[in-house]
Amino acid sequence: MSTTHDTSALEDRLVAALAARAELVQPEDLAPLATVATLRPRWQSPWVLLATAAAVLLVLGVVLQGVGGRQRSDDVAPRPDDPKIELELPADVGRDWKASPESTPARVDLDGDGAKEKVEFLGEETKDFDGRIRLQTTLSSTGEEAYGVADVASTVGAGAEGVVDADGDGDQELVVFDPDLDTSGGAPLVFDLREGLLVQVVPEDPSLLQRGDVQVPGSQTGLYDRVRVLQYWIEDGRLFSGRSEDSFARTGMTTAQLPGIVLETWEWRLGDDGVLRREAAGCKELVFDVQECDADSGAQVPDLTPATETVGVGESADITTGFPFSIRVEAGDPPVLVGEGQDGVTLRHELDGADPRVATVQPESIFSDGESLVVTSASDPTLVQLLVQRGERIVALDPVGEVPLENTDDNRTWLTEGGSVVSVTAVDDGSWQLWSWQMTSGDRVFALPGVTVCFDDVDDPTTARRC
Amino acid sequence: MERAVDITELYAAHRLSLVRLAVLLVDDFASAEDVVQDAFAALARRPDAVKDPSKALAYLRVSVVNTARSALRRRRTARAYSPPHDLSPPTPEDSAVLAEEHREVIAALQQLAPRQREVLVLRYWSNLSEAEIARTLDISQGTVKSTASRALVALEKAMQTSRDSGPASPTSSGKEQR
């Protein structure tokens, strides 16, 4: 996050100040635990806990039965012959390379004798720190040197991500993370001790053993594309990976994914031929970590509570969340919106439509580097307009894309308390497609598709739930 | 399948750290306690929202951040109607004193936009990764990165402004703001 000395010093000060401020709150300052009693009734009762546990087990049983009982199309379809994969033995290069920048040696029992070897990571010297790394160690069982070589996107920070025993032979394979500098993802490189060398084994389908957002082929629309989320992880010495069942719309660095991503997962097992092959490992949910799926798994519905406070002609408000400024609406034909920033700059903008209402919550999800506002009309409920600051003027964003920027019965649009502008469009089965508005080039704005939601009462967005 | 979360255990294990997180977001001990209490109360109302302890802490953290943001919003609304003097008795925490060097940083932090403050606190106190912060705040990792970068600039600027204008802010008095 920081590269300069000044920034680093500021970060150090911030860390120290936050720690000191937090430490002022000591356990004895907290109100007595008894105050939590109001929270307890449903949980304190052992009968409720037993009943809850029984219900959870019952639901889990149903879910697992459902998952296990489903036959996937690729289970019955003929499988192609295994592709011919050949292992490459490492060349003995890089003996004179220096330790990779910021790398940490790994401690791994490569030969299975119960003693851990120290594996060092040497980096090839290149201008951009791309190139190869050399892993080298001395085996505790024989005293002989073992080494491996791999091409990586960055030699900086080369190190072990973990160890696995993917072939079940009792010794450990070393997993090294190879970052993908373009996608902020990457893939694991797995090294197995074979014939005295650290050989990089090969997954049968590398596209399913990686981490990051991967574009769905053919999903580009000009305004956004769609990605699937891939993740891999090590659990109890076993290597797993997963890919999201759903794809998510993405524009720039923004994606429509929400916590609660359901993954189709695989465990990767290493064969004698040095090939990692995948075995289905069922459904998992990626929230903050990877968890078992349950009845509640899946994307959560975001908070769609509408922002209701607005100002009209003759009224004013201070906007303090996000970019701070004050607004007022002056009478006129048309009425004039006046924005005054803390820098003393006053912006004026003639408003469209009769009886304009300007929300006092900024649409920060659209624009946060200056004044931004949502304008509606008390006399025209269909009107929704997004305004942003451009230098010393305010401009109205031009809506483009699949969804019109308007508020009608089957295309409802509103600003949420959290500063997002969302639309929901009616789907034939009674559900609603959620869209979130995003700014794009040329002062344009478009709606990015999100999850499907259902409403108990469509006139009350707070009743939104998963369908 | 993990066991269902025990809210009492969660409360005992994480209440202090969550109150500390809330204090860094709202800079007011009483509000921070309320924020955390509300977060646990929300979890108690929806016990099926979380199934295992590791998920529960992340869930509670999100809840604390959101509730703290709402608290700040309510505080702004209520400020115009507040009596001029707060007559409630001081808490033990109120009497604690923060070193001058830290006061300047904390005072500057409180001047940042809530989203910037949240990113800095989660990054530099909670030690969350960019991905974890993105999930906690429901924003993209790119936004986390750009927000953090801008927040550090704004923080430095606020500290400089404070130094230029002298020690006039409430938090520079030596006692923590209620």
Side-chain angles (χ1 to χ4, degrees):
Chain A
M1 192 167 291
S2 65
T3 53
T4 68
H5 172 75
D6 286 348
T7 305
S8 179
L10 178 63
E11 288 175 311
D12 291 345
R13 273 197 76 184
L14 180 57
V15 168
L18 289 171
R21 176 68 185 97
E23 285 291 316
L24 288 185
V25 181
Q26 290 297 308
E28 58 270 25
D29 297 330
L30 301 178
L33 265 177
T35 56
V36 79
T38 54
L39 303 179
R40 283 181 175 175
R42 294 187 62 182
W43 296 82
Q44 276 186 320
S45 158
W47 300 110
V48 171
L49 287 172
L50 282 172
T52 304
V56 168
L57 287 172
L58 183 61
V59 170
L60 178 66
V62 171
V63 170
L64 287 179
Q65 194 175 33
V67 169
R70 241 186 355 227
Q71 195 170 35
R72 293 175 44 84
S73 60
D74 53 4
D75 287 340
V76 294
R79 295 173 70 92
D81 292 339
D82 283 344
K84 187 169 176 55
I85 299 173
E86 290 184 358
L87 291 187
E88 191 176 333
L89 296 181
D92 188 8
V93 296
R95 284 182 175 274
D96 56 345
W97 294 344
K98 294 176 181 165
S100 292
E102 298 183 28
S103 76
T104 306
R107 300 267 178 191
V108 192
D109 182 13
L110 292 165
D111 51 14
D113 67 348
K116 291 184 176 179
E117 284 78 37
K118 177 183 178 183
V119 180
E120 293 179 302
F121 298 88
L122 309 182
E124 188 175 18
E125 271 194 46
T126 63
K127 178 169 160 286
D128 297 321
F129 297 103
D130 54 356
R132 294 172 292 178
I133 54 170
R134 175 188 174 98
L135 296 68
Q136 68 178 28
T137 188
T138 301
L139 298 174
S140 57
S141 55
T142 64
E144 293 180 350
E145 182 192 71
Y147 61 86
V149 175
D151 268 309
V152 292
S154 171
T155 57
V156 176
E161 189 163 38
V163 293
V164 295
D165 184 9
D167 51 8
D169 65 356
D171 64 30
Q172 295 179 323
E173 292 88 54
L174 180 64
V175 180
V176 175
F177 178 61
D178 180 17
D180 180 336
L181 300 182
D182 293 330
T183 66
S184 74
L189 308 179
V190 181
F191 293 88
D192 185 33
L193 182 65
R194 293 179 173 240
E195 309 297 331
L197 297 172
L198 291 173
V199 178
Q200 183 183 336
V201 299
V202 185
E204 61 175 350
D205 187 347
S207 69
L208 294 177
L209 183 55
Q210 56 177 313
R211 178 180 292 157
D213 296 342
V214 177
Q215 187 184 60
V216 176
S219 64
Q220 299 97 316
T221 69
L223 291 170
Y224 62 87
D225 62 0
R226 300 191 76 88
V227 296
R228 288 188 195 278
V229 177
L230 281 106
Q231 180 63 278
Y232 75 84
W233 65 97
I234 296 167
E235 186 177 315
D236 298 331
R238 296 151 70 193
L239 179 62
F240 294 88
S241 74
R243 181 178 64 182
S244 64
E245 291 186 349
D246 294 327
S247 64
F248 306 95
R250 171 181 71 176
T251 180
M253 290 188 290
T254 300
T255 65
Q257 71 194 47
L258 296 163
I261 298 171
V262 174
L263 302 175
E264 179 184 9
T265 69
W266 304 277
E267 179 179 357
W268 294 82
R269 307 280 301 167
L270 179 60
D272 291 339
D273 56 0
V275 176
L276 285 165
R277 292 187 175 80
R278 61 191 166 97
E279 297 171 4
C283 175
K284 297 279 194 298
E285 184 182 19
L286 179 61
V287 186
F288 294 89
D289 51 11
V290 177
Q291 305 160 10
E292 297 293 334
C293 285
D294 60 30
D296 294 328
S297 293
Q300 305 299 307
V301 174
D303 185 358
L304 299 176
T305 305
T308 54
E309 287 186 29
T310 61
V311 294
V313 172
E315 296 174 322
S316 63
D318 290 328
I319 293 176
T320 53
T321 301
F323 186 87
F325 64 107
S326 63
I327 55 169
R328 64 177 184 274
V329 181
E330 295 179 350
D333 185 17
V336 175
L337 169 68
V338 181
E340 292 183 349
Q342 290 186 338
D343 52 3
V345 174
T346 299
L347 308 176
R348 300 177 68 83
H349 179 78
E350 293 184 351
L351 293 170
D352 295 336
D355 205 356
R357 304 297 306 180
V358 182
T360 59
V361 170
Q362 282 196 88
E364 283 183 82
S365 68
I366 292 177
F367 186 73
S368 58
D369 285 342
E371 299 178 15
S372 58
L373 295 159
V374 176
V375 181
T376 55
S377 167
S379 57
D380 177 6
T382 67
L383 178 79
V384 180
Q385 200 174 39
L386 304 178
L387 307 179
V388 299
Q389 179 179 358
R390 279 282 179 253
E392 296 197 354
R393 65 194 182 101
I394 288 176
V395 299
L397 295 176
D398 182 22
V400 294
E402 300 149 272
V403 177
L405 182 61
E406 61 182 23
N407 184 37
T408 60
D409 283 346
D410 59 0
N411 187 119
R412 295 166 185 250
T413 300
W414 69 94
L415 170 68
T416 72
E417 272 190 350
S420 297
V421 179
V422 297
S423 290
V424 290
T425 51
V427 180
D428 291 342
D429 63 2
S431 63
W432 296 76
Q433 171 69 50
L434 178 65
W435 305 76
S436 65
W437 287 87
Q438 308 288 332
M439 196 157 78
T440 186
S441 59
D443 291 338
R444 298 179 304 161
V445 67
F446 73 98
L448 189 69
V451 295
T452 301
V453 298
C454 287
F455 293 94
D456 294 328
D457 175 4
V458 72
D459 292 325
D460 179 3
T462 62
T463 64
R465 56 178 169 76
R466 286 164 56 187
C467 298
Chain B
M1 178 65 187
E2 296 85 349
R3 62 195 170 81
V5 292
D6 182 328
I7 200 165
T8 309
E9 272 183 21
L10 282 173
Y11 195 78
H14 301 301
R15 182 178 171 219
L16 177 61
S17 67
L18 288 169
V19 170
R20 286 173 166 172
L21 170 64
V23 140
L24 295 175
L25 296 174
V26 300
D27 201 36
D28 167 3
F29 177 67
S31 299
E33 274 208 305
D34 289 346
V35 161
V36 173
Q37 195 76 2
D38 285 352
F40 276 101
L43 182 58
R45 282 194 300 273
R46 286 193 59 209
D48 57 339
V50 185
K51 289 289 190 292
D52 72 88
S54 66
K55 187 175 175 180
L57 178 57
Y59 181 95
L60 284 165
R61 194 186 288 128
V62 171
S63 189
V64 164
V65 170
N66 290 338
T67 310
R69 198 181 301 152
S70 299
L72 288 173
R73 195 173 288 136
R74 281 198 305 274
R75 183 189 291 173
R76 281 201 315 277
T77 307
R79 193 170 284 154
Y81 308 103
S82 299
H85 302 292
D86 188 345
L87 302 177
S88 54
T91 67
E93 197 261 357
D94 285 322
S95 59
V97 176
L98 200 60
E100 174 65 34
E101 61 185 290
H102 299 322
R103 274 208 305 275
E104 183 187 40
V105 179
I106 296 299
L109 187 72
Q110 300 310 317
Q111 294 175 37
L112 303 187
R115 174 64 54 81
Q116 292 181 333
R117 182 162 59 244
E118 289 159 9
V119 167
L120 291 187
V121 169
L122 293 175
R123 172 73 181 84
Y124 294 100
W125 187 72
S126 298
N127 290 321
L128 299 191
S129 67
E130 285 177 354
E132 289 169 321
I133 296 170
R135 292 193 190 113
T136 302
L137 299 181
D138 194 14
I139 57 180
S140 70
Q141 284 190 52
T143 304
V144 171
K145 203 171 290 196
S146 60
T147 303
S149 172
R150 281 200 294 266
L152 285 175
V153 173
L155 184 73
E156 189 154 40
K157 192 175 170 187
M159 288 163 59
Q160 186 59 48
T161 305
S162 167
R163 279 194 290 269
D164 293 345
S165 60
S169 70
T171 49
S172 63
S173 64
K175 298 254 182 109
E176 290 309 300
Q177 187 178 16
R178 283 185 56 81

